[in-house]
Amino acid sequence: MHCSDCRHLLLEADPGELRRIGSSELVAHLRACETCRRAAHHVLDGEQLLRTALLDLQPNGSAAVAAQAAIRTSRRRRHRLVAVPLAAAAGLAALLLLRPEPFTPGTPQQFAGPPPIVEARSGQDVIVYQTANPDVVVVWLFQRKGS
Amino acid sequence: MNELARLNEAVAPVVVHARRGDADAFTELVRICRPLIYRWAYVDTGDPDDAEDIAQEVLVRVYRRLRTFREGSSFTAWLYRITRNLAVDRERTRARRRRLWPVGDAARAARSVSGPEDAVVSEDSAAIVHGFMKRLPRRQRQALDLVDLQGLAAAEAATMLGLDAGTIRVHLHRARRTLRSMILEHVPEMAEEL
């Protein structure tokens, strides 16, 4: 193997080959050629510098503080996951219960059959829903607080 | 035994306690794993601020999902997947913002951001780290870091990166060629011959 071939091979070789481990042509040449061996050493030294620099990387702050922050954030998000659907359900319930419209007789387009006649006491509100089933109508009779 | 295999052994008993909700065990787990998570995030993003944010978010996810971790499987591989997914999400968010607000990205780049190349002592070391972070694309950095620097087999690295072994080797060879050419550039008698 010529040195020029070796120099190209060592640019992609496994680190083990650069350390002359194994029995490849490259390893045999590195054992025999001092110049190429020095090139391999330079590559290995450079990679060791990189390895050390990356090993020395440290994030800011202490592990204890980071752990506590992670636990707090996790618990906050868990509460939000429960609270948001509960709030949405409560909002929907309030919307359904507190709709201000009193009962008005349905038009023929709103009810499949003749509109229901609902008798309510004075002061009592009524909401009537036509369901998807033309035979089923939901009637809510309710009294507002304070009325 | 490579670095990650040693770490897997070290954290195994701590993970058992942390999964049961032991806050001290979780803190110990963070102490052991946090530098590695930060390193992976930094190699992925090339930005120390992003790496900090991602590392902290990884800890939140680990705390929430530790019960889903299957004992007996590789903790570091599980940790790496979380880190990588968060880094990908962050990059997607950033790409969306770049499309909407291109000026913001230029302003961000203009701020001086220090990385490990600023912390190293020697010029050679700084040049090599700088080259690693700036001249290698993300996939090549990841492949080189996992295989050549952390000692994983190419097949293991492929699994962690969600790539096939052939693709990893291509990235690895390209990364080696770029990095080693750069290393030998600083050796005049070698550089002439390449």
Side-chain angles (χ1 to χ4, degrees):
Chain A
M1 179 183 285
H2 297 297
C3 290
S4 56
D5 298 325
C6 174
R7 301 291 168 77
H8 286 286
L9 280 179
L10 70 83
L11 290 180
E12 293 187 6
D14 287 341
E17 282 190 282
L18 300 188
R19 291 185 190 104
R20 305 191 297 280
I21 297 168
S23 56
S24 65
E25 265 192 82
L26 174 64
V27 170
H29 182 86
L30 290 175
R31 283 184 184 137
C33 175
E34 192 191 331
T35 310
C36 291
R37 203 160 52 239
R38 270 190 289 123
H41 273 307
H42 278 295
V43 167
L44 289 171
D45 287 346
E47 290 183 353
Q48 184 55 38
L49 285 175
L50 181 58
R51 190 178 286 113
T52 304
L54 291 178
L55 266 175
D56 288 345
L57 278 179
Q58 290 290 333
N60 292 327
S62 76
V65 168
Q68 284 306 311
I71 293 171
R72 270 198 311 272
T73 303
S74 172
R75 285 178 182 162
R76 218 175 23 242
R77 288 182 190 172
R78 209 180 304 148
H79 291 151
R80 234 181 281 154
L81 269 179
V82 172
V84 165
L86 263 181
L92 185 62
L95 197 67
L96 288 174
L97 287 173
L98 298 175
R99 275 176 56 178
E101 307 92 74
F103 166 71
T104 52
T107 65
Q109 289 79 36
Q110 285 181 350
F111 295 99
I117 297 169
V118 179
E119 249 184 89
R121 287 199 307 273
S122 165
Q124 205 171 31
D125 285 319
V126 178
I127 297 176
V128 180
Y129 293 99
Q130 173 68 60
T131 67
N133 184 336
D135 294 330
V136 177
V137 167
V138 176
V139 177
W140 280 15
L141 296 157
F142 64 100
Q143 195 149 8
R144 290 171 202 257
K145 253 188 177 173
S147 62
Chain B
M1 190 186 280
N2 64 52
E3 186 189 319
L4 297 189
R6 272 194 293 273
L7 194 130
N8 274 326
E9 270 192 17
V11 302
V14 182
V15 167
V16 168
H17 291 289
R19 287 183 71 200
R20 290 176 196 154
D22 183 336
D24 290 338
F26 179 72
T27 303
E28 178 62 13
L29 193 62
V30 168
R31 189 192 64 75
I32 298 170
C33 298
R34 192 166 160 249
L36 186 60
I37 296 168
Y38 178 74
R39 176 221 183 110
W40 287 334
Y42 182 70
V43 167
D44 194 306
T45 62
D47 184 286
D49 290 337
D50 285 349
E52 288 274 3
D53 292 345
I54 289 167
Q56 188 58 32
E57 186 59 32
V58 168
L59 298 183
V60 174
R61 288 215 180 170
V62 167
Y63 183 75
R64 293 177 70 187
R65 297 181 184 181
L66 203 47
R67 281 196 195 92
T68 69
F69 169 69
R70 276 178 302 132
E71 280 184 36
S73 57
S74 166
F75 186 76
T76 50
W78 184 72
L79 210 55
Y80 190 85
R81 270 196 301 279
I82 295 175
T83 309
R84 182 169 56 93
N85 288 342
L86 281 167
V88 166
D89 288 347
R90 194 171 186 98
E91 182 50 37
R92 279 191 193 131
T93 305
R94 182 149 285 144
R96 266 199 303 275
R97 285 189 188 146
R98 270 201 292 271
R99 284 197 292 276
L100 292 171
W101 300 295
V103 172
D105 203 51
R108 191 175 160 278
R111 289 201 312 269
S112 89
V113 178
S114 70
E117 60 268 35
D118 299 302
V120 295
V121 175
S122 77
E123 249 182 61
D124 285 346
S125 185
I128 290 166
V129 175
H130 186 270
F132 175 73
M133 295 309 305
K134 303 300 177 196
R135 287 169 62 171
L136 296 184
R138 185 169 60 92
R139 275 280 183 249
Q140 290 182 22
R141 287 199 303 267
Q142 289 171 330
L144 192 90
D145 183 40
L146 289 175
V147 178
D148 284 2
L149 303 182
Q150 293 189 65
L152 263 70
E156 282 179 278
T159 305
M160 284 171 75
L161 288 169
L163 301 172
D164 64 70
T167 307
I168 276 291
R169 284 190 202 288
V170 168
H171 288 308
L172 185 59
H173 288 164
R174 287 177 183 164
R176 283 173 178 169
R177 179 165 281 279
T178 305
L179 184 71
R180 291 173 183 181
S181 298
M182 201 185 58
I183 290 169
L184 292 174
E185 272 170 17
H186 290 85
V187 183
E189 64 268 28
M190 304 293 167
E192 287 163 13
E193 301 188 33
L194 282 172

